[in-house]
Amino acid sequence: SQTIHQWPATLVQPVGSPLSLECTVEGTSNPNLYWYRQAAGRGLQLLFYSVGIGQISSEVPQNLSASRPQDRQFILSSKKLLLSDSGFYLCAWSATRNQPQHFGDGTRLSIL
Amino acid sequence: AQKITQTQPGMFVQEKEAVTLDCTYDTSDQSYGLFWYKQPSSGEMIFLIYQGSYDEQNATEGRYSLNFQKARKSANLVISASQLGDSAMYFCAMREPYGGSQGNLIFGKGTKLSVKP
């Protein structure tokens, strides 16, 4: 069966520091991969999605970036974090665009 | 532009009773998909149920059913025989159509369901 792993579970970072969140999927090939952010008490906002290695599409302008160095690995990065980057970050995968998305456990990011 | 509206910020239901969580959507596309997700306090998003716009029958998954009224553009989630473990945030989402992003979901703001013993 397919599983998705996301780490770390929680992260506290100072303003201006770099960021790297990792997400990996097991048990499937060539999944669609997604990064979402959820502000406190709000719904999810799509940040990036990828349909294949090296293929990244950005949905909102921001100081974050994403990379997909391997088929089942999706990384969310930043060179310099802002206070507004605080939130709950969720990685998700789907087999095709029509299939449901399945989410990782999320990373709670706090910027001090 | 597509939009998802969940008008109930919070709902209470007595254990073992049924509850309906409202969701309306706005789209001019003929082909779309509707999803419901559950988010417990621990944070993970759990897929519950899916309804395609061309599906003639309402989707059901165990105690979850989706009351799909296409003309009214509503996709309400019905949870039967509520359990204490059903207490969580519930999000309605719509898949963007072709020509846009690859299956990206647009989420509503959610409804917090609290099940009372």
Side-chain angles (χ1 to χ4, degrees):
Chain A
S1 63
Q2 300 87 3
T3 56
I4 180 168
H5 303 280
Q6 187 180 341
W7 67 93
T10 59
L11 190 60
V12 180
Q13 292 283 94
V15 170
S17 64
L19 172 74
S20 180
L21 303 180
E22 190 163 341
C23 172
T24 59
V25 181
E26 295 177 358
T28 187
S29 297
N30 197 31
N32 288 357
L33 296 171
Y34 309 84
W35 275 112
Y36 289 89
R37 176 168 59 202
Q38 184 179 28
R42 303 290 299 275
L44 274 66
Q45 179 188 37
L46 179 67
L47 301 176
F48 300 95
Y49 70 92
S50 171
V51 299
I53 296 174
Q55 301 179 60
I56 309 295
S57 296
S58 174
E59 289 296 298
V60 292
Q62 61 222 323
N63 71 321
L64 299 170
S65 62
S67 62
R68 185 170 177 173
Q70 299 180 41
D71 181 43
R72 291 168 290 176
Q73 183 184 30
F74 205 23
I75 297 172
L76 183 68
S77 304
S78 174
K79 292 182 180 179
K80 285 186 176 182
L81 286 167
L82 306 173
L83 284 174
S84 57
D85 291 325
S86 291
F88 189 53
Y89 289 81
L90 285 153
C91 180
W93 75 274
S94 65
T96 69
R97 68 175 305 280
N98 295 323
Q99 296 296 311
Q101 293 180 20
H102 301 278
F103 288 78
D105 290 340
T107 296
R108 295 194 186 278
L109 176 63
S110 299
I111 310 299
L112 304 179
Chain B
Q2 288 76 26
K3 184 171 70 172
I4 294 283
T5 303
Q6 294 179 255
T7 58
Q8 307 153 314
M11 289 277 288
F12 287 91
V13 64
Q14 198 69 38
E15 191 178 10
K16 298 181 184 178
E17 292 184 352
V19 62
T20 298
L21 305 183
D22 294 341
C23 173
T24 58
Y25 58 93
D26 183 20
T27 181
S28 56
D29 296 291
Q30 297 302 309
S31 177
Y32 50 89
L34 297 157
F35 302 78
W36 276 92
Y37 285 84
K38 172 185 177 181
Q39 187 177 40
S41 57
S42 52
E44 72 269 30
M45 294 286 283
I46 302 167
F47 166 70
L48 295 179
I49 197 166
Y50 165 78
Q51 179 85 42
S53 58
Y54 291 119
D55 295 340
E56 294 186 354
Q57 293 193 345
N58 287 344
T60 60
E61 287 287 346
R63 294 188 297 111
Y64 305 108
S65 60
L66 202 152
N67 184 3
F68 182 45
Q69 298 186 45
K70 195 170 183 177
R72 297 180 59 186
K73 294 188 177 178
S74 73
N76 299 339
L77 177 70
V78 180
I79 305 175
S80 62
S82 297
Q83 302 172 356
L84 295 178
D86 293 334
S87 294
M89 284 289 289
Y90 288 81
F91 291 95
C92 179
M94 181 167 64
R95 184 190 68 229
E96 289 193 64
Y98 263 120
S101 309
Q102 289 294 317
N104 297 335
L105 298 178
I106 302 168
F107 284 83
K109 293 185 177 182
T111 295
K112 185 174 182 179
L113 177 66
S114 299
V115 180
K116 299 185 289 185

